[in-house]
Amino acid sequence: MRRAVTVMAVAALGIPFVASAAHATEPAVPRGWMATWAASPQPVWGPDFLFPTNVPPELHDQTVRQVARLSVGGQRLRIVLSNAYGKEPLTIGKAAVARSRGGDDGAVAEDSQRVVTFGGQEAATILPGASLVSDPVALPVPALAQIAVSLYLPKATPVSTFHWDGRQTSWIVRGDQTMAPSLKTDEGSALSTTARPLLTGIQVEADQTARAVAVIGDSITDGATASLDKDSRWPDFLAARLAPHGVAVVNAGISGARLLSDGMGVNALARLERDVLAQPGVRSVVVVLGINDIAWPGTAFAREAPRPTLEALTAGYRQLIEQARSRGLRVIGATLTPFEGALPGTPLEDYYHPDKDALRRQVNDWMRNSGAFDAVIDFDAALRDPAHPARMAARFDSGDRLHPGDEGNRAMADAVDLDALLPGLGATPAAAATPAAISPQEP
């Protein structure tokens, strides 16, 4: 009787009602947030470091617009900002997101522009050492869509937290241009950079069965020599493989990163919680670290530092494995790629040494045979020159004999067994993804 009264009341309001047994018995699918893109935060270094920061020391009355390619999509998204290495609060005057149209003026699709709020307010403060998560933004986006995030900084803002090598052009322009369809980049005060200030993550709303894979690595994962603005890092190619399965990829690579020591970012164990374990939806982590631990000692980066032993490196890997497994993550190791003759004609041309390569091969043998990881991806075998295994094959080499080029990055992604990442994934039909998973449409 109660159901009949309810149906009659709905009909009286002119609302169509369709009786369905499934409607009456099936519970709503729980939904939550999942990481779909990340840029691991780093502390900005001083002017005496080997590389420039590529960002001004301070931003004031300026808008920063950055473009990020998502891995999976959703109906709503939210952004994550970081003041991890700041010593004072930072003020965000206004923020906005939109679908990127590409080009050299930061153009966005006007009908996709959305103001981003924080606790219902347009302005927000990021406390020292803290991160800031925005309110949900109703902006439906398919997998592999490019999103532009604009941040207006009205007050004097020291740049202390950034991601150095974004492999994507960002713009810094005068005034509040967060809602500008195209930026005024022809003004003398406009700057472009490949670094990423403040923006460290984008999350999408997904059902709670959705999954993500994180990759914690160094410049090879960060994409140091990948083509600019082409999304051609190896995790980008992996994201394209996983998108039809509805699985996200979180790139936690930092150029210069090391397993045991701080480099151009803190050591892997110090950032594991923030960059991997705390990322919502992550079920597996791929570890692509160790080459800088082996090769930095004796170079301009660490002239007097001793080279780590095999025992120290394997102890570091085991500790990372245990911490990740304690949170229920599957841990996949990746062998270290060949680097004979690395970085010729640069201040780091002593990066390679036969003794260093011997240690690299010992690490790879341990990875393949110890059983410490849940699975191993053999990037060494995928990229090496069969006729000269200490070197990367020429077709995969970017030219610096250390970092793969775009073709090498694609080969690395193709070498990944999807079942190694998430057992059973390889048998999952691509139809598990949304219809727009691979071919983003204009909003």
Side-chain angles (χ1 to χ4, degrees):
M1 181 62 183
R2 181 176 299 170
R3 175 177 171 80
V5 170
T6 302
V7 173
M8 290 173 63
V10 169
L13 292 172
I15 301 173
F17 179 86
V18 179
S20 166
H23 246 270
T25 59
E26 290 183 5
V29 177
R31 303 187 69 78
W33 292 97
M34 180 171 70
T36 187
W37 177 88
S40 296
Q42 302 166 249
V44 172
W45 47 77
D48 56 342
F49 192 67
L50 198 59
F51 300 139
T53 62
N54 298 324
V55 291
E58 183 179 270
L59 298 170
H60 185 195
D61 186 29
Q62 289 168 293
T63 296
V64 180
R65 179 169 290 179
Q66 305 176 50
V67 174
R69 194 193 76 168
L70 309 185
S71 48
V72 299
Q75 295 299 304
R76 300 200 297 172
L77 60 81
R78 62 187 188 181
I79 64 172
V80 183
L81 309 178
S82 176
N83 190 18
Y85 301 103
K87 303 300 183 183
E88 57 187 79
L90 302 183
T91 298
I92 304 297
K94 190 174 181 180
V97 296
R99 287 282 302 277
S100 172
R101 287 194 180 278
D104 58 6
D105 59 355
V108 300
E110 291 187 55
D111 57 355
S112 72
Q113 290 179 295
R114 305 286 190 276
V115 172
V116 177
T117 58
F118 304 87
Q121 304 298 313
E122 289 189 5
T125 299
I126 317 177
L127 298 176
S131 60
L132 180 69
V133 181
S134 77
D135 298 333
V137 179
L139 178 61
V141 288
L144 309 183
Q146 286 198 323
I147 299 299
V149 178
S150 302
L151 305 172
Y152 174 57
L153 304 166
K155 299 180 180 180
T157 305
V159 180
S160 54
T161 301
F162 77 148
H163 183 85
W164 179 64
D165 196 5
R167 307 311 301 161
Q168 182 78 41
T169 302
S170 299
W171 298 268
I172 301 172
V173 293
R174 179 64 59 194
D176 179 4
Q177 297 189 43
T178 52
M179 297 298 289
S182 298
L183 299 174
K184 298 176 183 176
T185 58
D186 57 348
E187 296 181 350
S189 60
L191 301 172
S192 65
T193 179
T194 55
R196 294 189 178 276
L198 303 179
L199 179 66
T200 60
I202 302 176
Q203 302 171 1
V204 292
E205 194 174 37
D207 69 67
Q208 291 187 355
T209 62
R211 296 171 291 178
V213 173
V215 184
I216 186 168
D218 48 41
S219 57
I220 291 174
T221 294
D222 207 14
T225 50
S227 293
L228 187 66
D229 298 331
K230 297 296 184 182
D231 297 309
S232 57
R233 313 162 193 82
W234 80 260
D236 295 329
F237 289 121
L238 180 62
R241 289 187 65 195
L242 292 176
H245 303 276
V247 176
V249 175
V250 176
N251 187 338
I254 290 180
S255 292
R258 292 193 280 180
L259 174 69
L260 301 179
S261 304
D262 294 350
M264 292 162 64
V266 297
N267 67 81
L269 290 171
R271 69 186 183 95
L272 181 68
E273 173 70 31
R274 178 196 68 200
D275 292 353
V276 175
L277 304 184
Q279 297 290 338
V282 169
R283 298 292 180 267
S284 298
V285 56
V286 182
V287 182
V288 198
L289 286 165
I291 197 68
N292 288 326
D293 293 79
I294 292 169
W296 268 33
T299 70
F301 277 139
R303 187 65 67 192
E304 305 302 324
R307 192 178 309 148
T309 64
L310 176 64
E311 292 72 21
L313 287 166
T314 57
Y317 290 124
R318 288 188 185 277
Q319 182 59 211
L320 189 153
I321 291 167
E322 289 306 312
Q323 291 193 29
R325 283 181 177 160
S326 72
R327 300 286 282 273
L329 270 62
R330 180 175 174 84
V331 190
I332 299 93
T335 56
L336 306 181
T337 52
F339 71 118
E340 183 180 279
L343 307 175
T346 75
L348 295 170
E349 61 185 356
D350 51 1
Y351 189 89
Y352 174 83
H353 188 278
D355 290 347
K356 296 177 181 179
D357 192 54
L359 180 55
R360 176 189 70 91
R361 288 185 277 108
Q362 289 179 318
V363 168
N364 287 350
D365 287 343
W366 176 83
M367 285 188 174
R368 294 180 183 116
N369 301 308
S370 66
F373 292 97
D374 294 300
V376 174
I377 304 167
D378 203 339
F379 286 151
D380 173 37
L383 295 188
R384 68 192 177 202
D385 183 345
H388 197 136
R391 290 184 183 173
M392 190 181 302
R395 70 183 186 278
F396 298 142
D397 184 9
S398 67
D400 69 6
R401 303 180 188 175
L402 172 63
H403 302 100
D406 292 356
E407 187 176 348
N409 286 333
R410 188 184 296 276
M412 291 175 70
D414 289 345
V416 177
D417 180 352
L418 299 189
D419 283 325
L421 298 179
L422 295 164
L425 184 62
T428 304
T434 60
I438 300 302
S439 301
Q441 303 296 312
E442 290 296 328

